[in-house]
Amino acid sequence: MQLLRTIAFIVIFYYLFRFLARIFGPVLFRYASKKAQEKHGRSQHSRNQGGNREMRKEGEVVIEDTPVNNRKERTPASGKKVGEYIDFEEID
């Protein structure tokens, strides 16, 4: 009897979840997509408002590189520097 009661609760909750998801799903999806769109718009706006960049002509190519001292060197998780990688082939 307990097994049938448990199965009945599972089935009832399943159909209740499906019903509620059908009602509230589109509303939640619209809300999430609106928030994502706003976030994307803010990031684009801040990127376009870059403070010290001068206006460039259309088609002009500029390569901006970070200084060497700011680059992170590849190190393992322990933080110790490792020697250079050597590729080798096995000889029979």
Side-chain angles (χ1 to χ4, degrees):
M1 186 66 183
Q2 194 73 344
L3 179 64
L4 292 175
R5 188 176 184 191
T6 304
I7 292 173
F9 277 129
I10 291 172
V11 170
I12 289 170
F13 284 127
Y14 172 72
Y15 282 109
L16 182 65
F17 179 75
R18 280 186 55 189
F19 177 72
L20 292 175
R22 199 172 275 182
I23 292 173
F24 294 114
V27 175
L28 292 173
F29 182 74
R30 261 188 254 119
Y31 176 76
S33 63
K34 184 179 177 183
K35 286 293 185 182
Q37 186 177 13
E38 289 173 0
K39 184 177 179 182
H40 180 70
R42 282 192 307 264
S43 70
Q44 287 293 335
H45 179 70
S46 65
R47 187 175 299 151
N48 291 339
Q49 294 293 328
N52 58 1
R53 293 184 183 176
E54 67 272 357
M55 296 297 288
R56 296 189 180 106
K57 295 180 183 176
E58 184 176 340
E60 182 181 355
V61 179
V62 176
I63 300 173
E64 296 177 3
D65 196 16
T66 58
V68 176
N69 56 359
N70 288 343
R71 292 183 185 166
K72 293 183 179 178
E73 294 185 27
R74 292 186 164 213
T75 57
S78 64
K80 297 178 182 176
K81 292 192 176 185
V82 181
E84 67 180 339
Y85 176 76
I86 300 175
D87 191 22
F88 66 93
E89 294 182 16
E90 188 173 324
I91 301 174
D92 291 332

